Amino acid sequence: ENKSRVAVIGSGNWGSVAAKLIASNTLKLPSFHDEVRMWVFEETLPSGKKLSAVINQTNENVKYLPGIKLGKNVVADPDLEHAVTDSNMLVFVTPHQFMEGICKRIQGKIRKDAQAISLVKGMEVKRDGPSMISTIISQKLGISCCVLMGANIANEIAQENFSEATVGYRENKEIAEKWVHLFNTPFFSVSSVQDVEGVELCGTLKNVVAIAAGFVDGLEMGNNTKAAIMRIGLREMKAFSKLLFSSVKDNTFFESCGVADLITTCLGGRNRKCAEAFAKHGGKRSFDELEAEMLQGQKLQGVLTAKEVHEVLCHRGWLESFPLFATVHEICIRRLPPAAIVKYSEHTHQHS
Ligand code: NAD
Ligand code: 13P
């Protein structure tokens, strides 16, 4: 039979909501099997029970998305290889730092006709330069990979409040439309653009700007300052993306994955929240400590991404062109105080 089978690799805050969204659609769409397999990085809860077992008993991810039913056709599976083995549509959604290891574990273990999409916001930096997560998936697994990014704070989508998202694809519009079909709902409006790098870099880089916005909040500098940081950040996002990939399109920055995600993350995201606390403590408590205390197992992406971006800037001699990105990293590693976030204005009055 020709029905597609979907596996979601990851079950954090967004992973769980993505599984819920997809599962509501596979029930309705005849071209998909109802069941959605969701790989769970297994852990033991304070009750002594395994998280995957509790998800299957209660239909709720009690740790990463409490209070929300996922849909009975979501099946939690702690065995990564088993979770992917029968599926031809693989949805990757874990914190970016775990993705390379996950790809290695399922290398050679997936269906030959599998397609992938990455909801992961981040990149890896190696000696020979940066690699986007969708590229790591493509290269390690030998399959094509789209991306889905957007202004998508997971808890709000769990409440089914209206939002939008952008699918980025490389060549095959038909495959992109299949992903759009799988994700689109009346409250989750998805469109596709042929600019996989642009979409993925938007989702990745806005996490660095969100850290800067959090510093501004912690220092209580007000809305104008925060808007200025967002504008400067957006400009650096665009310039950095275009330097890395000349194919990146200007219009991508006006899609949900661009300016809309930047805004929502700077207003209500986890990166913003932890950076605010970091600045309030005058940089005396580390991000690792604050993450563990404030997010209860959820992971920040912006601090690591700032480090990765900084490495690229150093290697390529671009530091001076990206004062906001560079300063965020220096503040995160406590080489500069949080107030340094507004101390580079001589670079920032250009408009292009
Ligand atoms: P999360 O931060 O809620 O959860 C952390 C997840 O990592 C948990 O599922 C945990 O079990 C897992 N984990 C911990 N250690 C691990 C390990 N060693 N190996 C593998 N997994 C491990 O995750 P999330 O919110 O689903 O985020 C996943 C991606 O989606 C990130 O790139 C994030 O930027 C992006 N995203 C998140 C949101 C959101 O609102 N939460 C929205 C859009 C995009
Ligand atoms: P945070 O990880 O900062 O919560 O951002 C979530 C997000 O990517 C919204 O689209």
Side-chain angles (χ1 to χ4, degrees):
E1 51 167 313
N2 300 327
K3 286 192 178 202
S4 291
R5 280 187 187 273
V6 186
V8 176
I9 298 98
S11 51
N13 189 230
W14 180 217
S16 302
V17 176
K20 170 185 185 284
L21 197 66
I22 291 167
S24 74
N25 272 344
T26 57
L27 284 183
K28 293 184 196 133
L29 302 171
S31 50
F32 296 94
H33 272 283
D34 288 355
E35 183 185 292
V36 175
R37 284 262 141 191
M38 180 175 80
W39 173 62
V40 174
F41 177 76
E42 191 67 293
E43 54 189 291
T44 307
L45 299 172
S47 63
K49 292 184 180 158
K50 298 286 187 202
L51 176 59
S52 63
V54 174
I55 293 175
N56 285 332
Q57 278 153 19
T58 62
N59 198 232
E60 243 181 77
N61 189 336
V62 293
K63 176 152 181 190
Y64 295 100
L65 189 67
I68 304 287
K69 296 290 177 197
L70 298 177
K72 292 264 186 291
N73 51 329
V74 175
V75 177
D77 189 340
D79 181 338
L80 178 58
E81 277 181 43
H82 186 256
V84 298
T85 188
D86 290 328
S87 298
N88 63 319
M89 296 188 80
L90 306 176
V91 178
F92 290 94
V93 52
T94 75
H96 78 278
Q97 57 269 39
F98 306 130
M99 275 303 301
E100 203 171 12
I102 287 170
C103 288
K104 281 189 186 145
R105 283 176 57 194
I106 58 175
Q107 228 164 3
K109 313 248 163 76
I110 60 168
R111 272 170 62 166
K112 296 274 175 293
D113 62 343
Q115 297 287 338
I117 193 164
S118 173
L119 279 52
V120 181
K121 293 174 175 171
M123 62 183 181
E124 287 285 333
V125 180
K126 294 277 155 55
R127 220 169 300 152
D128 53 350
S131 260
M132 300 313 296
I133 300 300
S134 68
T135 309
I136 293 174
I137 294 170
S138 280
Q139 288 177 347
K140 290 246 182 298
L141 303 182
I143 59 180
S144 83
C145 187
C146 291
V147 299
L148 181 144
M149 309 274 144
N152 299 144
I153 290 181
N155 292 327
E156 298 178 17
I157 299 171
Q159 301 298 329
E160 308 196 346
N161 296 339
F162 177 77
S163 70
E164 299 179 306
T166 315
V167 165
Y169 66 97
R170 194 173 302 281
E171 278 147 15
N172 194 329
K173 170 114 181 148
E174 230 168 274
I175 291 174
E177 287 308 317
K178 196 166 173 193
W179 287 116
V180 169
H181 203 49
L182 180 63
F183 279 93
N184 199 57
T185 75
F187 61 86
F188 193 66
S189 176
V190 187
S191 50
S192 66
V193 300
Q194 188 174 13
D195 183 5
V196 66
E197 285 90 3
V199 174
E200 193 168 5
L201 276 161
C202 276
T204 298
L205 296 172
K206 63 85 193 173
N207 285 333
V208 180
V209 187
I211 299 276
F215 293 152
V216 168
D217 285 345
L219 297 166
E220 297 181 20
M221 289 191 274
N223 296 322
N224 295 339
T225 308
K226 194 158 152 184
I229 290 297
M230 288 162 71
R231 185 197 76 85
I232 296 162
L234 183 61
R235 218 187 37 172
E236 291 194 12
M237 285 166 58
K238 183 174 139 211
F240 187 84
S241 303
K242 291 192 156 211
L243 277 174
L244 280 190
F245 299 97
S246 58
S247 60
V248 167
K249 296 175 179 163
D250 284 356
N251 279 343
T252 300
F253 296 87
F254 294 94
E255 300 289 339
S256 179
C257 64
V259 67
D261 194 12
L262 177 70
I263 292 170
T264 201
T265 309
C266 289
L267 296 181
R270 300 168 296 185
N271 285 291
R272 186 218 67 84
K273 181 174 153 183
C274 291
E276 178 183 44
F278 182 93
K280 274 203 186 337
H281 288 101
K284 290 201 174 62
R285 301 193 57 200
S286 73
F287 269 104
D288 282 347
E289 247 175 57
L290 293 167
E291 179 187 65
E293 187 179 297
M294 299 176 75
L295 301 185
Q296 283 123 22
Q298 294 184 33
K299 297 283 178 196
L300 289 177
Q301 302 283 262
V303 176
L304 258 177
T305 303
K307 178 168 181 275
E308 287 149 356
V309 167
H310 195 268
E311 280 174 47
V312 176
L313 298 179
C314 288
H315 283 144
R316 308 228 170 167
W318 296 345
L319 269 174
E320 287 196 356
S321 308
F322 296 92
L324 185 138
F325 286 169
T327 304
V328 168
H329 174 63
E330 306 237 308
I331 296 171
C332 288
I333 61 169
R334 300 192 264 196
R335 202 183 282 156
L336 287 174
I341 198 61
V342 290
K343 298 245 169 77
Y344 47 83
S345 57
E346 66 273 21
H347 295 280
T348 59
H349 50 255
Q350 313 130 45
H351 293 278
S352 62

